Short mmCIF file of all heavy atoms in Angstrom, two decimals:
data_model
loop_
_atom_site.label_atom_id
_atom_site.label_comp_id
_atom_site.label_asym_id
_atom_site.label_seq_id
_atom_site.Cartn_x
_atom_site.Cartn_y
_atom_site.Cartn_z
N TYR A 6 -16.46 -12.06 -6.73
CA TYR A 6 -15.96 -10.83 -6.10
C TYR A 6 -14.55 -11.04 -5.55
O TYR A 6 -13.65 -10.22 -5.78
CB TYR A 6 -16.94 -10.41 -4.99
CG TYR A 6 -16.41 -9.34 -4.07
CD1 TYR A 6 -16.37 -8.01 -4.46
CD2 TYR A 6 -15.96 -9.66 -2.80
CE1 TYR A 6 -15.89 -7.02 -3.61
CE2 TYR A 6 -15.48 -8.69 -1.94
CZ TYR A 6 -15.45 -7.37 -2.35
OH TYR A 6 -14.98 -6.40 -1.50
N LEU A 7 -14.33 -12.13 -4.85
CA LEU A 7 -13.00 -12.42 -4.29
C LEU A 7 -11.96 -12.61 -5.39
O LEU A 7 -10.82 -12.17 -5.25
CB LEU A 7 -13.06 -13.66 -3.39
CG LEU A 7 -13.82 -13.49 -2.08
CD1 LEU A 7 -13.87 -14.81 -1.32
CD2 LEU A 7 -13.20 -12.41 -1.21
N LYS A 8 -12.34 -13.26 -6.48
CA LYS A 8 -11.42 -13.44 -7.61
C LYS A 8 -11.01 -12.09 -8.19
O LYS A 8 -9.85 -11.86 -8.51
CB LYS A 8 -12.04 -14.30 -8.70
CG LYS A 8 -12.10 -15.77 -8.36
CD LYS A 8 -12.74 -16.56 -9.48
CE LYS A 8 -12.88 -18.02 -9.13
NZ LYS A 8 -13.56 -18.79 -10.17
N ARG A 9 -11.98 -11.19 -8.33
CA ARG A 9 -11.70 -9.87 -8.89
C ARG A 9 -10.79 -9.07 -7.96
O ARG A 9 -9.87 -8.39 -8.42
CB ARG A 9 -13.00 -9.13 -9.16
CG ARG A 9 -13.78 -9.75 -10.31
CD ARG A 9 -15.09 -9.06 -10.58
NE ARG A 9 -14.84 -7.73 -11.08
CZ ARG A 9 -15.75 -6.77 -11.11
NH1 ARG A 9 -16.97 -7.01 -10.67
NH2 ARG A 9 -15.47 -5.58 -11.59
N ILE A 10 -11.02 -9.17 -6.66
CA ILE A 10 -10.18 -8.48 -5.68
C ILE A 10 -8.75 -9.04 -5.74
O ILE A 10 -7.78 -8.28 -5.71
CB ILE A 10 -10.76 -8.62 -4.26
CG1 ILE A 10 -12.08 -7.86 -4.14
CG2 ILE A 10 -9.77 -8.15 -3.21
CD1 ILE A 10 -11.96 -6.36 -4.33
N ALA A 11 -8.62 -10.36 -5.83
CA ALA A 11 -7.29 -10.98 -5.91
C ALA A 11 -6.56 -10.53 -7.17
O ALA A 11 -5.35 -10.23 -7.12
CB ALA A 11 -7.42 -12.50 -5.87
N GLU A 12 -7.25 -10.46 -8.29
CA GLU A 12 -6.63 -10.01 -9.55
C GLU A 12 -6.18 -8.55 -9.43
O GLU A 12 -5.09 -8.19 -9.87
CB GLU A 12 -7.61 -10.18 -10.71
CG GLU A 12 -7.09 -9.70 -12.04
CD GLU A 12 -5.86 -10.44 -12.52
OE1 GLU A 12 -5.71 -11.63 -12.21
OE2 GLU A 12 -5.04 -9.80 -13.22
N LEU A 13 -7.02 -7.73 -8.84
CA LEU A 13 -6.67 -6.32 -8.65
C LEU A 13 -5.44 -6.19 -7.75
O LEU A 13 -4.54 -5.41 -8.05
CB LEU A 13 -7.85 -5.56 -8.04
CG LEU A 13 -7.63 -4.09 -7.76
CD1 LEU A 13 -7.30 -3.34 -9.04
CD2 LEU A 13 -8.85 -3.49 -7.10
N ALA A 14 -5.39 -6.98 -6.70
CA ALA A 14 -4.24 -6.95 -5.80
C ALA A 14 -2.96 -7.35 -6.53
O ALA A 14 -1.90 -6.74 -6.33
CB ALA A 14 -4.48 -7.86 -4.60
N LYS A 15 -3.03 -8.34 -7.39
CA LYS A 15 -1.86 -8.76 -8.17
C LYS A 15 -1.38 -7.64 -9.08
O LYS A 15 -0.19 -7.40 -9.21
CB LYS A 15 -2.19 -9.99 -9.03
CG LYS A 15 -2.29 -11.27 -8.26
CD LYS A 15 -2.64 -12.41 -9.20
CE LYS A 15 -2.96 -13.67 -8.44
NZ LYS A 15 -3.39 -14.75 -9.34
N ARG A 16 -2.34 -6.95 -9.72
CA ARG A 16 -1.97 -5.86 -10.63
C ARG A 16 -1.35 -4.70 -9.87
O ARG A 16 -0.39 -4.09 -10.34
CB ARG A 16 -3.19 -5.39 -11.40
CG ARG A 16 -3.69 -6.44 -12.40
CD ARG A 16 -4.82 -5.89 -13.18
NE ARG A 16 -4.28 -4.95 -14.13
CZ ARG A 16 -4.55 -4.95 -15.41
NH1 ARG A 16 -5.38 -5.82 -15.89
NH2 ARG A 16 -4.01 -4.06 -16.21
N VAL A 17 -1.89 -4.39 -8.70
CA VAL A 17 -1.34 -3.30 -7.90
C VAL A 17 0.06 -3.65 -7.45
O VAL A 17 0.98 -2.84 -7.52
CB VAL A 17 -2.26 -2.99 -6.69
CG1 VAL A 17 -1.57 -2.09 -5.70
CG2 VAL A 17 -3.56 -2.37 -7.17
N GLU A 18 0.25 -4.88 -7.01
CA GLU A 18 1.58 -5.32 -6.57
C GLU A 18 2.58 -5.27 -7.70
O GLU A 18 3.75 -4.92 -7.51
CB GLU A 18 1.49 -6.75 -6.03
CG GLU A 18 2.78 -7.24 -5.41
CD GLU A 18 2.63 -8.61 -4.79
OE1 GLU A 18 1.57 -8.91 -4.25
OE2 GLU A 18 3.60 -9.38 -4.87
N ALA A 19 2.13 -5.57 -8.91
CA ALA A 19 3.01 -5.53 -10.08
C ALA A 19 3.20 -4.11 -10.60
O ALA A 19 4.00 -3.88 -11.50
CB ALA A 19 2.46 -6.42 -11.18
N GLY A 20 2.45 -3.17 -10.07
CA GLY A 20 2.56 -1.78 -10.53
C GLY A 20 1.89 -1.55 -11.86
O GLY A 20 2.31 -0.70 -12.64
N GLN A 21 0.86 -2.31 -12.15
CA GLN A 21 0.22 -2.23 -13.45
C GLN A 21 -1.22 -1.73 -13.29
O GLN A 21 -2.03 -2.36 -12.64
CB GLN A 21 0.22 -3.62 -14.10
CG GLN A 21 -0.19 -3.62 -15.52
CD GLN A 21 0.05 -4.96 -16.17
OE1 GLN A 21 0.35 -5.93 -15.49
NE2 GLN A 21 -0.10 -5.02 -17.46
N ALA A 22 -1.52 -0.60 -13.89
CA ALA A 22 -2.87 -0.05 -13.84
C ALA A 22 -3.76 -0.78 -14.83
O ALA A 22 -3.28 -1.51 -15.71
CB ALA A 22 -2.82 1.44 -14.19
N GLU A 23 -5.06 -0.59 -14.69
CA GLU A 23 -6.00 -1.26 -15.58
C GLU A 23 -5.80 -0.88 -17.04
O GLU A 23 -6.00 -1.68 -17.93
CB GLU A 23 -7.44 -0.93 -15.17
CG GLU A 23 -7.91 -1.68 -13.97
CD GLU A 23 -9.39 -1.45 -13.70
OE1 GLU A 23 -10.16 -1.26 -14.67
OE2 GLU A 23 -9.75 -1.47 -12.53
N ASP A 24 -5.39 0.35 -17.29
CA ASP A 24 -5.24 0.81 -18.67
C ASP A 24 -3.83 0.61 -19.22
O ASP A 24 -3.52 1.07 -20.31
CB ASP A 24 -5.64 2.28 -18.79
CG ASP A 24 -4.78 3.19 -17.93
OD1 ASP A 24 -4.09 2.69 -17.03
OD2 ASP A 24 -4.80 4.41 -18.17
N THR A 25 -2.98 -0.10 -18.49
CA THR A 25 -1.62 -0.36 -18.95
C THR A 25 -1.66 -1.42 -20.05
O THR A 25 -2.23 -2.49 -19.85
CB THR A 25 -0.72 -0.84 -17.80
OG1 THR A 25 -0.72 0.13 -16.77
CG2 THR A 25 0.71 -1.09 -18.26
N PRO A 26 -1.06 -1.15 -21.20
CA PRO A 26 -1.04 -2.15 -22.27
C PRO A 26 -0.38 -3.46 -21.85
O PRO A 26 0.54 -3.48 -21.03
CB PRO A 26 -0.23 -1.46 -23.37
CG PRO A 26 -0.38 -0.01 -23.09
CD PRO A 26 -0.44 0.09 -21.60
N GLU A 27 -0.87 -4.54 -22.41
CA GLU A 27 -0.43 -5.87 -22.03
C GLU A 27 1.06 -6.11 -22.32
O GLU A 27 1.72 -6.85 -21.60
CB GLU A 27 -1.28 -6.91 -22.78
CG GLU A 27 -1.24 -8.27 -22.16
CD GLU A 27 -2.26 -9.20 -22.79
OE1 GLU A 27 -3.45 -8.86 -22.78
OE2 GLU A 27 -1.83 -10.26 -23.29
N GLN A 28 1.60 -5.49 -23.37
CA GLN A 28 3.01 -5.71 -23.72
C GLN A 28 3.97 -5.09 -22.71
O GLN A 28 5.15 -5.39 -22.73
CB GLN A 28 3.31 -5.17 -25.10
CG GLN A 28 2.75 -6.04 -26.21
CD GLN A 28 3.30 -5.62 -27.55
OE1 GLN A 28 3.51 -4.44 -27.79
NE2 GLN A 28 3.55 -6.58 -28.41
N LEU A 29 3.47 -4.24 -21.84
CA LEU A 29 4.33 -3.62 -20.83
C LEU A 29 4.34 -4.53 -19.61
O LEU A 29 3.85 -4.20 -18.55
CB LEU A 29 3.82 -2.22 -20.49
CG LEU A 29 3.73 -1.29 -21.71
CD1 LEU A 29 3.13 0.03 -21.31
CD2 LEU A 29 5.09 -1.09 -22.33
N ASN A 30 4.94 -5.70 -19.80
CA ASN A 30 4.86 -6.76 -18.82
C ASN A 30 6.03 -6.81 -17.85
O ASN A 30 6.18 -7.78 -17.12
CB ASN A 30 4.70 -8.10 -19.53
CG ASN A 30 5.78 -8.30 -20.60
OD1 ASN A 30 6.67 -7.47 -20.76
ND2 ASN A 30 5.69 -9.39 -21.32
N THR A 31 6.88 -5.81 -17.85
CA THR A 31 7.97 -5.76 -16.89
C THR A 31 7.98 -4.39 -16.21
O THR A 31 7.52 -3.41 -16.79
CB THR A 31 9.34 -5.98 -17.57
OG1 THR A 31 9.61 -4.87 -18.46
CG2 THR A 31 9.39 -7.29 -18.35
N PRO A 32 8.53 -4.32 -15.01
CA PRO A 32 8.62 -3.02 -14.34
C PRO A 32 9.43 -2.00 -15.14
O PRO A 32 9.13 -0.81 -15.12
CB PRO A 32 9.32 -3.34 -13.02
CG PRO A 32 9.11 -4.79 -12.80
CD PRO A 32 9.00 -5.41 -14.16
#
């Protein structure tokens, strides 16, 4: 659970939603 929360926090900080394609790796 903590790992999943940490991953979600990283994605939010990077501005990347769950459905964002992987190649869109820059702001």
Side-chain angles (χ1 to χ4, degrees):
Y6 168 77
L7 291 177
K8 285 179 183 177
R9 290 179 67 197
I10 293 296
E12 178 62 31
L13 179 60
K15 286 179 189 176
R16 292 183 74 130
V17 167
E18 186 175 324
Q21 190 170 10
E23 283 187 32
D24 61 344
T25 302
E27 199 171 303
Q28 286 191 323
L29 303 176
N30 52 3
T31 66

